[in-house]
C-alpha cells in the first residue's frame, strides 16, 4: 500500500473520514500511467470508481438543489447543476482538498505536468467520491459534500450560471410566451459619462432600467431590477 | 386530484408500489401543456421532479453495472450505461409500464400525438422515478428498477453497445497500444457461398477468424472468437 500517512491524517482531521478498505482509496488515487509502470503491483486505475463517483455527485447535487430551491424552475436547476458538476469546479474542489498531492502518477505523466491538469483533478475528485460511497455509503458522502461543495453554492460561487435576463424571461413566461425587449436609451457621451442605459420592456410596459459599462452589463442590471420589482408585487 | 384509479391499482398489483403523497405522483404525470390549460388547478408540471429522477436513474444503473460487471473496464461500463440511460430505452420502459396511458396532457399536445412521443415518455419515466424516490426512498426505486430494467440488461438487450471489436481492442491494449488489423481473406464467390471471411491479426498472430454476410459482421465474429480464445489462456 502506497498511501501517504499525511493524506490519511488530513482526511481524518479535516473531514472526519476514516476508510475501512484502504485499497479503494488507493485505487481512487492511482492513474493508469502508474499502473503501467508497475505491472508487478497488479494495481487497478481509478477509472471504474470514477465512473461510479460521477453519478454519485450528480445525484447528491441534484437532490440538494431540488430541495434547497423549491421555487427554481427546472431550467435554472439544470444550469446551476451544470456549473457545479463540471471539470472547472471539481478540479478546484480537488485542489482545496489537497488531492493533487496524493495522486499516484507514472513518471512520464508527472513530467508532463499531469498533476496540475484540471481534467485529471476532476477525475480524482469523482473517484474519491466513488470510493467514499463504496466504503462508507451515501450519508458520509453527503457530509463530505456538505463541507466541501454546498457552502460555495450558498456563497454564490455559481450564481453566474443563473443570469438575470434568463431569470426574468422564466418569470415572465411562466404562463406562456411573452416578448421581452431590451432597449438602449442612453450611450456614453462624454469621458465623464461612460455608462450605457438600457430599459427592459414587455407588453408595452417598462419593467426596469439598468446602467453598465457595456450594453450586456446594463441589460443584466435592468433585468435584475425588473425581477426585484415583479417579485415584490 | 386527477389520478386514474386504474393506475394506482396497476402500480400496486404489478410493482407493489403505494404512494404516500399522491400529489408527487400527479406532478410526475402532468405536462406543462395541461398546467397551462388549467391555471385554476395551480398544478406543477413534471420538470423539476424529472430533473431529480434523471440523476436517480443514472446512479442506480451505474452502481448496478459497477457491481454486476467487476471485470468490465470503464469504457465498457460507460457505453453500456449510455445504452440503458437514454431516450430510446426509457421510453420503451415507460410503455411497458403503461405510463403513456396516464399522462395529463393539454388538448393541443394530445392532438399532436405527444402521448406517443419518445421524448415525452422518457421524461415521464424519469419523473416517475423522481417521485418514487422522494416518496419512498432509494430502496423502493432500486426494487422497481430491478423489476423493469435489470432483467433486460441481463437478457442482453443492450449488448449491441458492447461490440466485440471494441472488447478485443480493450483486452489487447490493457498494457499499452497494440496494432489490430482485420484482413479480408474470403469473399462471396458463388450464389451458394454468400459469406465473407475475415481474420483478425495482432503482433503478427492470427487471433481469430470469422464469417458473416458482410465484412462488418465477419469482423465481429472474428473478434468474438479471438476474445474467447484469449480469455481461456
Amino acid at each position: 500500500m502506497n498511501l501517504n500517512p499525511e493524506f490519511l491524517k488530513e482526511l481524518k482531521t479535516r473531514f472526519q473520514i476514516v476508510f475501512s478498505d484502504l485499497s479503494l482509496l488507493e485505487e481512487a488515487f492511482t492513474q493508469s500511467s502508474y499502473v503501467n509502470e508497475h505491472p508487478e503491483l497488479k494495481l487497478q486505475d481509478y477509472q471504474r470508481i470514477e465512473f461510479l463517483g460521477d453519478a454519485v455527485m450528480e445525484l447528491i447535487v441534484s437532490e440538494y438543489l431540488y430541495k434547497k430551491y423549491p421555487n427554481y424552475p427546472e431550467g435554472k436547476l439544470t444550469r446551476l447543476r451544470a456549473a457545479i458538476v463540471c471539470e472547472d469546479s471539481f478540479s478546484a474542489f480537488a485542489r482545496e482538498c489537497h488531492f493533487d498531492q496524493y495522486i499516484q502518477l507514472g513518471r512520464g505523466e508527472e513530467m508532463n505536468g499531469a498533476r496540475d491538469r484540471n481534467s485529471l483533478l476532476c477525475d480524482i475528485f469523482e473517484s474519491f467520491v466513488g470510493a467514499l460511497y463504496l466504503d462508507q455509503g451515501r450519508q458520509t458522502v453527503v457530509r463530505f459534500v456538505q463541507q466541501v461543495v454546498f457552502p460555495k453554492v450558498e456563497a454564490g460561487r455559481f450564481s453566474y450560471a443563473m443570469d438575470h435576463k434568463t431569470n426574468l424571461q422564466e418569470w415572465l413566461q411562466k404562463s406562456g410566451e411573452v416578448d421581452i425587449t431590451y432597449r438602449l436609451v442612453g450611450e456614453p457621451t462624454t469621458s465623464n459619462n461612460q455608462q450605457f442605459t438600457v430599459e427592459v420592456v414587455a407588453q408595452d410596459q417598462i419593467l426596469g432600467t439598468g446602467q453598465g459599462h457595456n450594453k450586456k452589463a446594463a441589460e443584466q442590471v435592468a433585468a435584475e431590477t425588473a425581477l426585484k420589482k415583479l417579485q415584490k408585487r
Side-chain angles (χ1 to χ4, degrees), chain A residues 179-198:
Chain A
D179 261 341
I180 304 165
T181 316
Y182 289 84
R183 216 156 53 190
L184 186 65
V185 292
E187 287 189 85
T189 44
T190 64
S191 57
N192 283 334
N193 175 10
Q194 288 291 316
Q195 298 282 304
F196 289 79
T197 306
V198 164

Side-chain angles (χ1 to χ4, degrees), chain A residues 127-189:
Chain A
S127 62
F128 173 77
V129 163
L132 191 60
Y133 181 81
L134 289 169
D135 193 67
Q136 312 261 315
R138 188 179 161 289
Q139 265 316 312
T140 306
V141 182
V142 170
R143 223 183 49 215
F144 171 73
V145 177
Q146 275 169 345
Q147 193 173 341
V148 173
V149 180
F150 297 163
K152 281 137 204 162
V153 180
E154 284 154 39
R157 199 201 280 194
F158 306 100
S159 53
Y160 68 88
M162 301 176 297
D163 71 290
H164 301 298
K165 283 178 69 176
T166 310
N167 292 350
L168 177 63
Q169 188 182 339
E170 282 171 353
W171 173 276
L172 290 171
Q173 297 189 343
K174 267 189 292 191
S175 29
E177 285 298 306
V178 174
D179 261 341
I180 304 165
T181 316
Y182 289 84
R183 216 156 53 190
L184 186 65
V185 292
E187 287 189 85
T189 44

Side-chain angles (χ1 to χ4, degrees), chain A residues 80-137:
Chain A
L80 193 47
R81 179 173 67 188
I84 301 167
V85 180
C86 70
E87 190 176 295
D88 268 6
S89 307
F90 281 8
S91 57
F93 300 148
R95 283 192 185 90
E96 287 162 19
C97 296
H98 304 153
F99 287 172
D100 51 332
Q101 300 174 22
Y102 304 115
I103 307 168
Q104 300 199 110
L105 282 176
R107 268 167 300 175
E109 279 289 273
E110 189 74 82
M111 279 166 50
N112 285 331
R115 193 174 292 280
D116 199 42
R117 201 185 292 144
N118 278 1
S119 60
L120 173 63
L121 291 170
C122 169
D123 286 354
I124 292 291
F125 188 76
E126 292 176 338
S127 62
F128 173 77
V129 163
L132 191 60
Y133 181 81
L134 289 169
D135 193 67
Q136 312 261 315

Side-chain angles (χ1 to χ4, degrees), chain A residues 61-78:
Chain A
V61 171
S62 300
E63 191 169 355
Y64 162 77
L65 294 177
Y66 178 88
K67 290 180 173 166
K68 178 90 187 166
Y69 303 107
N71 297 316
Y72 279 15
E74 175 272 335
K76 199 161 162 179
L77 293 174
T78 299

